[in-house]
Amino acid sequence: MPLDPTITTVAAAVELTVVIPTYNERENIDPLLERLGSALRGVAWECIFVDDDSPDGTADKVRAIARADARVRCVQRIGRRGLSTAVIEGIQASSAPFVAVIDADMQHDETLLPRMLEAIKTDELDIVIGSRHVEGGGVGDWDKGRVAMSDFAARLARLVVSAHLSDPMSGFFLMTRPAFESAVRKLSGQGFKILLDLFASSPAPFRFKELPYTFRQRVHGESKLDTFVVWEYLMLLLDKLIGHIVPVRFVLFGFVGMSGVVVHLATLRLMLTAGSFTVAQATATMMAMTSNFALNNILTYRDRRLRGWRFLTGLVSFYAVCAIGAVANVGIASAAFQRHYSWWLAGLAGAAVGVVWNYAVSAVFTWRHR
Ligand code: GDD
Ligand code: MN
């Protein structure tokens, strides 16, 4: 209700918000909106595009349409990437009782939306999922390799979700706001698999149903799935399995650190044949820090990856962080050693302090949230 009904006319409330994550989808916006318009005739709907500052100007395109059509909105995120977090923020920007998520490239079948909405209401469900793997659905013409990968990933999903989902990788679903809100604070936001994340984060099992659809071919633009989605998927599973005990990023950072030790020793061995130990040790240290930086940038902080100029400034800040970490490491280890702890315990204590310092401080200065 408006505060003063005599001075305000209120547009009909939105029942369904369709959240559409985009990255370089400019050519798909017009045809997608046309299809949504005809599929959702008779429904009070709106859509929110969540664009990660696509270089092709997708956000400008959406806003140009939104100026003439109040059903269309745009959230533009700068300096960040990620399908899952885009979806989460899109849903948070909506107030509708029902929210749907659909890809911008028309690979999902938008004509399913009215039936999803119908089903969620009549069957009193939390979520309805568009599935390619129930009777009547399909994946179009995927090659054997992709089908096998998808099956394997679906089986891995059972590690974190007990619900029997035929298509846990689906990026096409419709849910109630309360169901979303029950899970939102626990979401990992890692990678692509927001549906799995939602199921794994909900305190009570979702009441769900799967409706079949056939995955279409993409016509405009290209897929953003690269080999790293496999990595991101594993990170999501790991986060759901151990994330409540120790942050996955810290585990990765630790592993990268161990790889740095290998790099260090290998470089040292190679350089020693040439001459001075001090020069060899200094070179090995630089090599290890640089390779740690590069690996963390690709693996640990993939979502905040530094490129171009920022890669260089990030590297310099990482050197600085590690230099202070090394001082702390040596200081703690020497202090422990003087108090007659055994050499290995003193050494380990120093290393542990160093790694925690490097992790915590580089998270703030090198790969800071922008
Ligand atoms: N905002 C934002 N940020 N959007 C993104 C990003 C990102 O970093 N990466 C991809 N998108 C958008 C794309 O623009 C597209 O609208 C949608 O997310 C899906 O991306 P695609 O690159 O088309 O993925 P796909 O077709 O290979 O994979 C789809 O199908 C899989 C199987 O169902 C996605 O829906 C996957 O989530 C799904 O697992
Ligand atoms: Mn696609």
Side-chain angles (χ1 to χ4, degrees):
M1 282 296 277
L3 292 177
D4 180 352
T6 59
I7 53 169
T8 324
T9 46
V10 175
V14 170
E15 181 177 34
L16 174 69
T17 300
V18 181
V19 171
I20 309 160
T22 56
Y23 193 76
N24 286 345
E25 303 288 0
R26 195 185 166 93
E27 299 305 315
N28 287 314
I29 307 299
D30 278 326
L32 174 69
L33 283 172
E34 197 156 307
R35 282 167 182 241
L36 284 177
S38 38
L40 291 171
R41 201 159 284 148
V43 177
W45 67 281
E46 66 168 0
C47 62
I48 300 179
F49 287 88
V50 186
D51 184 67
D52 286 350
D53 209 16
S54 303
D56 77 345
T58 303
D60 288 335
K61 169 81 195 174
V62 171
R63 279 188 293 255
I65 298 170
R67 277 194 282 279
D69 185 343
R71 296 173 307 184
V72 178
R73 293 204 275 146
C74 179
V75 172
Q76 183 180 15
R77 308 194 306 167
I78 295 175
R80 272 188 300 156
R81 281 292 303 274
L83 180 47
S84 284
T85 54
V87 166
I88 295 166
E89 287 171 41
I91 297 177
Q92 284 175 310
S94 134
S95 312
F98 299 100
V99 285
V101 178
I102 192 168
D103 287 353
D105 56 6
M106 294 173 283
Q107 293 197 274
H108 296 157
D109 184 354
E110 70 290 332
T111 62
L112 201 61
L113 286 169
R115 269 180 286 152
M116 292 166 113
L117 187 59
E118 182 67 31
I120 206 166
K121 288 196 240 171
T122 50
D123 299 352
E124 295 184 19
L125 303 168
D126 296 310
I127 186 165
V128 178
I129 301 149
S131 168
R132 298 160 293 180
H133 303 307
V134 286
E135 194 59 41
V139 290
D141 38 14
W142 272 9
D143 56 56
K144 277 210 185 79
R146 192 161 175 191
V147 172
M149 274 276 278
S150 179
D151 282 354
F152 180 64
R155 235 167 286 145
L156 277 184
R158 307 261 144 79
L159 287 174
V160 297
V161 174
S162 55
H164 253 268
L165 296 173
S166 71
D167 195 357
M169 308 296 136
S170 179
F172 182 32
F173 54 89
L174 188 153
M175 72 192 305
T176 67
R177 173 158 299 280
F180 172 76
E181 280 168 4
S182 75
V184 65
R185 286 189 168 73
K186 292 232 165 64
L187 290 172
S188 159
Q190 273 276 350
F192 261 59
K193 305 304 170 199
I194 180 63
L195 181 70
L196 198 64
D197 200 356
L198 282 162
F199 267 81
S201 305
S202 148
F206 283 147
R207 291 160 294 182
F208 72 98
K209 181 174 189 172
E210 298 179 302
L211 296 179
Y213 81 97
T214 303
F215 200 62
R216 298 189 194 123
Q217 283 287 354
R218 187 189 255 276
V219 179
H220 304 289
E222 48 197 46
S223 169
K224 282 89 211 173
L225 277 180
D226 55 19
T227 39
F228 273 99
V229 300
V230 178
W231 175 256
E232 291 184 330
Y233 181 56
L234 294 178
M235 288 310 103
L236 172 64
L237 295 181
L238 201 60
D239 187 34
K240 285 298 163 200
L241 288 171
I242 60 155
H244 53 288
I245 305 169
V246 46
V248 170
R249 270 197 226 273
F250 181 69
V251 175
L252 291 180
F253 196 89
F255 276 111
V256 169
M258 286 186 223
S259 82
V261 174
V262 176
V263 169
H264 186 113
L265 292 179
T267 314
L268 189 60
R269 179 73 197 78
L270 277 175
M271 296 275 301
L272 273 181
T273 53
S276 139
F277 181 83
T278 312
V279 173
Q281 172 72 359
T283 314
T285 305
M286 290 306 282
M287 285 289 285
M289 283 193 297
T290 310
S291 89
N292 281 1
F293 174 78
L295 284 176
N296 278 318
N297 197 43
I298 293 174
L299 300 177
T300 317
Y301 288 104
R302 188 167 172 72
D303 55 334
R304 301 184 207 168
R305 193 144 144 212
L306 306 171
R307 293 166 198 268
W309 181 245
R310 286 181 184 283
F311 182 89
L312 289 179
T313 54
L315 180 59
V316 172
S317 83
F318 190 70
Y319 287 153
V321 169
C322 293
I324 301 172
V327 173
N329 173 342
V330 174
I332 297 280
S334 312
F337 191 65
Q338 273 158 22
R339 295 207 169 78
H340 308 291
Y341 284 95
S342 55
W343 64 268
W344 59 269
L345 198 58
L348 268 183
V353 168
V355 83
V356 170
W357 163 275
N358 288 353
Y359 170 71
V361 181
S362 70
V364 176
F365 287 106
T366 309
W367 289 283
R368 67 177 172 275
H369 260 304
R370 280 189 287 141

